[in-house]
Amino acid sequence: MDAGSGIGMLENNNEEQLIQLQHIGKHYRLADKTLHILDDVCLRIAHGESCAILGSSGSGKSTLLNVLGLLDLPDTGNYRLNGIDVAQASPDQLAALRNQLIGFVFQSFNLLPRLSALDNVALPLTYRGIAPGQAREQAHAMLARVGLGERSEHRPASLSGGQRQRVAIARALVGKPALILADEPTGNLDASTAQEIMALLIELNREQSVTLIVVTHDPLIASQLARRVEVHQGLLREAGAA
Ligand code: ADP
Ligand code: MG
């Protein structure tokens, strides 16, 4: 992976807004039908903000998160991330932007089963070309920050669900991204572990001034973030206080 091709683009970061979505549309074509999942989505998120994306199952939350995370491009509209128009970026530049600016946290953790916790966390740094010794050192510090300093040599299978999600959070944050995108991060956890994971994400949002966006269908989870928006019938609306 060539991380270097995105560096020049990253310097264009003197914008107040980290995220600016204007009139975003995303549709899927199935046989003879077109499904309009996102119709006209507008959203601005400032650096350091925390925001929940709510919506019923199938409303398009993950579709929106995939657009925000540069995993999928919108069909219509304009997306500026950190001042960069993503439609102008090459696939290599998009990959570099993802690696440098964004940390992902998924419902099913998405850790590599054959790697230790430490090596899972070090992976984004390795992709950047950071030397293995230095990558492991930074990964260890990040694992310690999420409370797993003693478990770094464990593989995912010998960790609990909550511990696996902590490893995934460490992996998301180790590269000091501007943005954490979490898609139902507590969906596979019991209520008290879910609460611990949310508390950790919110602490890290404040402490590392990383912007935090959490997709959830759970109003209780959403109520812990500073702002809530809801996907509904292809549009996004401010959801107000929980
Ligand atoms: P949510 O995360 O809110 O549950 P999604 O964003 O995953 O919803 O999906 C929104 C809608 O788009 C669903 O109806 C889903 O079936 C459809 N969808 C998602 N991805 C695809 C795809 N690759 N092809 C066709 N339809 C899709
Ligand atoms: Mg989803």
Side-chain angles (χ1 to χ4, degrees), residues 64-110:
L64 175 58
L65 208 73
N66 290 344
V67 168
L68 289 171
L70 311 177
L71 296 169
D72 209 350
L73 291 170
D75 296 311
T76 54
N78 181 263
Y79 175 20
R80 294 180 84 81
L81 174 63
N82 210 33
I84 298 157
D85 180 354
V86 308
Q88 305 297 321
S90 71
D92 278 356
Q93 286 172 325
L94 288 176
L97 286 171
R98 266 198 306 273
N99 179 264
Q100 307 261 337
L101 286 181
I102 306 174
F104 293 92
V105 179
F106 301 95
Q107 176 172 354
S108 50
F109 322 130
N110 293 13

Side-chain angles (χ1 to χ4, degrees), residues 57-58 60-63 107 183-184 215:
S57 179
K61 302 182 297 298
S62 295
T63 302
Q107 176 172 354
D183 196 348
E184 308 267 10
V215 160

Side-chain angles (χ1 to χ4, degrees), residues 110-124 135-136 139-140 143 148-159 163-164 167-168 170-171:
N110 293 13
L111 300 173
L112 294 181
R114 289 173 192 280
L115 296 188
S116 67
L118 188 71
D119 288 333
N120 267 285
V121 174
L123 214 53
R136 286 172 69 88
H140 194 273
L143 271 177
L148 288 178
E150 313 288 294
R151 303 287 162 102
S152 40
E153 292 309 326
H154 287 235
R155 285 186 183 183
S158 64
L159 297 170
Q163 289 171 335
R164 287 181 210 181
V167 174
R171 178 185 57 188

Side-chain angles (χ1 to χ4, degrees), residues 166-177:
R166 284 175 189 271
V167 174
I169 290 169
R171 178 185 57 188
L173 277 157
V174 75
K176 304 206 180 311

